[in-house]
Amino acid sequence: MKIDPREIAALASAQPAAPRMDMYAGIHKALRAYMADTLLGLGRMDVDDDLEFAHTCDRVMQMLDLCRSHLHHENHFVHAAMEAREPGACAGVEAEHGEHEAAIAALADGVSHLLACARPARAATAHAVYRQLALFIAHNFEHMDEEETAHNRVLWEHYSDEELVRIHDALVASIPPHEMMATARWLVPFMSPAERTALLSDMQQHAPAPVLAAVLAHVQPHLTQAEWAKLMRSLGLPPLPGLVH
């Protein structure tokens, strides 16, 4: 694949002059980070270490579960909103979501087979699953770019930012707590500092204090000391663990 600097410049110039509500930006950063980390972990896995082997396979399964849930959230909230004001806007991506569902099921079957296979077959089977996961991730990266460009154009044309915030908030409210914490683990650390502050400031204003404290404790191990100190300053909180109010 050839990277054309002119194409990058064109993509940058195509962004709206004033920032719009982008429902995809944060969660897609989280998914890209989670997918990449899971793939790297699978590639470096020691198949002869039973504990590492089981833990890595479980990590792949957890990532697939989050991907499946993400598809359902997009279908129910984002695609429904697009179709309501521009019928047919999701036809192509709906088909891709169906393909992703099938790919997730096939990968889960592959991981189950890997867990059950004889020890001498582990290395070859693990490599086969690794390659299939790499292809799945590659397709998802392209798919997410399509959503961030074509889908956002539809959403920005037909909805105000206030309406998009309401759709986004309804989507987030539908996510169970355990899934929200799993998402936060990959969402917060891989945002820019400004995005991180915006997300957690909103939580600081609208969520109960124990919820914010739990999220901060959950993500702190995945931030550098400098990132953590910067975040605490931006939230007006003390920098030391256990002092979040």
Side-chain angles (χ1 to χ4, degrees):
M1 179 180 179
K2 184 178 179 181
I3 303 298
D4 186 343
R6 293 170 298 181
E7 183 178 353
I8 295 174
L11 285 170
S13 65
Q15 297 302 308
R20 293 292 311 273
M21 167 60 185
D22 186 347
M23 288 190 284
Y24 293 111
I27 187 59
H28 281 184
K29 279 191 176 184
L31 288 171
R32 288 182 178 110
Y34 196 3
M35 289 177 178
D37 187 78
T38 303
L39 181 66
L40 294 175
L42 184 60
R44 70 193 298 182
M45 175 178 66
D46 182 356
V47 296
D48 294 317
D49 182 324
D50 288 345
L51 183 60
E52 180 180 338
F53 175 72
H55 175 68
T56 304
C57 289
D58 184 60
R59 284 185 60 205
V60 177
M61 289 295 213
Q62 289 180 32
M63 187 213 76
L64 293 174
D65 284 343
L66 190 63
C67 288
R68 185 183 295 108
S69 181
H70 174 68
L71 289 178
H72 294 167
H73 296 323
E74 283 193 340
N75 289 343
H76 186 71
F77 291 95
V78 185
H79 293 183
M82 292 170 64
E83 288 291 328
R85 298 193 182 177
E86 188 175 316
C90 298
V93 79
E94 287 283 2
E96 287 192 3
H97 273 197
E99 294 171 3
H100 289 176
E101 288 268 16
I104 289 169
L107 278 165
D109 286 345
V111 175
S112 296
H113 175 69
L114 172 60
L115 283 165
C117 74
R119 184 180 292 269
R122 278 183 183 178
T125 306
H127 188 62
V129 174
Y130 170 85
R131 290 179 57 202
Q132 289 302 307
L133 181 60
L135 288 173
F136 172 75
I137 292 171
H139 189 204
N140 269 269
F141 277 24
E142 292 183 335
H143 176 84
M144 285 188 278
D145 184 71
E146 178 71 12
E147 291 177 330
E148 290 168 11
T149 51
H151 282 205
N152 266 337
R153 280 196 294 270
V154 173
L155 291 167
W156 293 339
E157 180 179 349
H158 295 290
Y159 288 91
S160 67
D161 284 347
E162 291 75 14
E163 290 174 311
L164 293 176
V165 167
R166 287 197 291 271
I167 295 167
H168 175 263
D169 288 351
L171 188 161
V172 171
S174 75
I175 300 175
H178 72 277
E179 183 183 332
M180 185 61 71
M181 291 298 282
T183 302
R185 185 285 176 238
W186 296 101
L187 182 67
V188 176
F190 296 100
M191 288 178 145
S192 70
E195 292 169 333
R196 205 176 285 141
T197 296
L199 174 71
L200 293 172
S201 292
D202 183 72
M203 185 177 294
Q204 191 176 37
Q205 294 174 36
H206 299 106
V211 173
L212 175 65
V215 171
L216 289 172
H218 189 55
V219 302
Q220 182 182 5
H222 309 291
L223 296 170
T224 67
Q225 288 185 350
E227 288 171 333
W228 177 254
K230 192 179 296 184
L231 176 60
M232 292 297 97
R233 285 196 302 271
S234 73
L235 297 176
L237 296 173
L240 297 177
L243 297 180
V244 176
H245 299 290

